[in-house]
Amino acid sequence: MEKKILDIRSLKKYYGKGENITKAVDGISFYVLEGEFVGIMGPSGSGKTTLLNCISSMIRPTEGEIFLEGENIAAFNEKKQMEYRGSKMGYLFQDFKLLDNLTGLENIMMPAAIHGMKEKESRKRIEKLTGFLGIRRILNKYPSQMSGGEKQRIAAARALLLDPAVILADEPTGALDTKNARHLMDELSALNKEMNRTILMVTHNPDAAAYCSRILFLKDGTIFHELRRREETETQSDFYARIADVMAQLGGGASNVL
Ligand SMILES: Nc1ncnc2c1ncn2[C@@H]1O[C@H](COP(=O)(O)OP(=O)(O)OP(=O)(O)O)[C@@H](O)[C@H]1O
Ligand SMILES: [Mg+2]
């Protein structure tokens, strides 16, 4: 039986009170199976980042449950959330969030230092990941000496170091040009297919979304539509066309980034 890595139940996140209330996430339920590559799309302000930040326990939901490998992390205390955040989830951000005064290698090793991974083990993992991502040549460079694509690959190695159950990415291609965006998506796709990594990715970019196996479209904090790639028969460009169709229906900021 396929394993549910993430199971989100009736999730709500409201900001503010009374007349000033913003229902950023307003009753979202879905689950992600091990090995899925799920995209989250939707107009600006539809709740994508809020949803992802609830799952990463960066923010506490107003209501609802978030089961990660069977445990409701929304009910954890802060200390336990911190442990989970660091070791069970890997993150990719639009702006990479690398530390400027550390080299590529030192950035990748950050989580190992924080979570007490043994040096021998971390060296072995880094060897494998940096080979896979093709970044061995830039490990001694500082972020200011790297291209955007290189920075995001360093960030990807950092996200993967502790072998997280799920990778959460918020617009990982947002700051990359078309070529580097495709490179990164090829790599995420290979991680997903060859290493069976589970990925949940927010994106505005239909080209990036076409790499996913399934896409949830948000509107006003709820799931408006879901698309699933027909694995055997559908080409990436056919899936792209269906994605663009839903984006056109959704309007309001989703399609103007095309
Ligand atoms: N800290 C906050 N306090 C109050 N309102 C917030 C806060 N963060 C987000 N919001 C509101 O919640 C709604 C959802 O925001 P969110 O950032 O999740 O949207 P998004 O789908 O990620 O948009 P974008 O595509 O522009 O990144 C918006 O109306 C936003 O103004
Ligand atoms: Mg956002």
Side-chain angles (χ1 to χ4, degrees):
M1 204 184 77
E2 286 177 304
K3 180 175 157 193
K4 276 185 199 171
I5 291 269
L6 263 179
D7 193 356
I8 314 293
R9 297 190 193 160
S10 311
L11 196 71
K12 292 184 181 173
K13 177 65 192 180
Y14 294 175
Y15 294 108
K17 281 203 171 79
E19 282 182 12
N20 293 322
I21 203 161
T22 303
K23 299 180 173 183
V25 171
D26 197 17
I28 284 185
S29 302
F30 66 97
Y31 59 80
V32 178
L33 297 175
E34 183 166 43
E36 272 197 298
F37 188 173
V38 177
I40 298 174
M41 300 189 84
S44 182
S46 58
K48 305 180 297 295
T49 295
T50 303
L51 172 64
L52 213 68
N53 287 347
C54 284
I55 295 171
S56 73
S57 67
M58 224 101 78
I59 53 182
R60 213 172 252 283
T62 308
E63 249 181 74
E65 290 148 337
I66 300 164
F67 289 92
L68 177 66
E69 295 189 311
E71 288 207 81
N72 181 16
I73 57 173
F76 279 1
N77 65 27
E78 250 166 62
K79 184 165 171 277
K80 207 155 174 221
Q81 278 188 345
M82 285 253 281
E83 279 169 30
Y84 252 64
R85 189 153 64 208
S87 62
K88 291 275 183 183
M89 296 182 255
Y91 306 94
L92 286 179
F93 303 93
Q94 177 168 353
D95 60 357
F96 323 122
K97 298 209 191 305
L98 297 178
L99 296 174
D100 290 333
N101 55 344
L102 298 183
T103 64
L105 182 61
E106 288 164 348
N107 266 288
I108 296 172
M109 282 168 56
M110 276 292 285
I114 294 169
H115 290 273
M117 184 183 230
K118 295 239 163 52
E119 199 185 320
K120 198 175 152 203
E121 172 71 10
S122 65
R123 234 186 290 132
K124 217 169 79 186
R125 298 241 346 126
I126 286 171
E127 184 73 13
K128 186 173 169 200
L129 287 169
T130 55
F132 186 82
L133 293 164
I135 48 175
R136 289 208 179 123
R137 281 181 312 104
I138 55 166
L139 290 176
N140 292 323
K141 284 189 173 186
Y142 289 89
S144 63
Q145 303 166 319
M146 298 174 194
S147 73
E150 289 170 347
K151 283 186 220 178
Q152 196 58 299
R153 287 197 282 280
I154 294 283
R158 177 185 60 186
L160 288 158
L161 186 67
L162 297 184
D163 203 14
V166 59
I167 297 165
L168 304 174
D170 195 353
E171 300 275 5
T173 63
L176 304 179
D177 59 31
T178 311
K179 190 174 130 227
N180 272 306
R182 291 224 168 108
H183 260 149
L184 181 76
M185 290 315 302
D186 283 335
E187 274 149 9
L188 287 181
S189 181
L191 279 169
N192 171 250
K193 293 202 172 84
E194 291 162 30
M195 293 189 170
N196 202 34
R197 308 309 339 184
T198 309
I199 306 173
L200 187 60
M201 175 184 76
V202 167
T203 186
H204 271 118
N205 179 352
D207 202 41
Y211 285 82
C212 296
S213 48
R214 181 158 65 98
I215 298 170
L216 306 172
F217 292 87
L218 302 193
K219 187 180 185 182
D220 302 329
T222 62
I223 295 177
F224 165 85
H225 197 70
E226 181 177 333
L227 282 184
R228 189 181 292 270
R229 185 162 171 194
R230 299 178 196 111
E231 203 57 64
E232 311 299 326
T233 52
E234 188 164 39
T235 65
Q236 209 164 311
S237 60
D238 286 347
F239 194 36
Y240 175 97
R242 288 203 292 142
I243 293 166
D245 269 356
V246 180
M247 286 174 80
Q249 287 173 48
L250 268 164
S255 49
N256 60 15
V257 210
L258 275 174

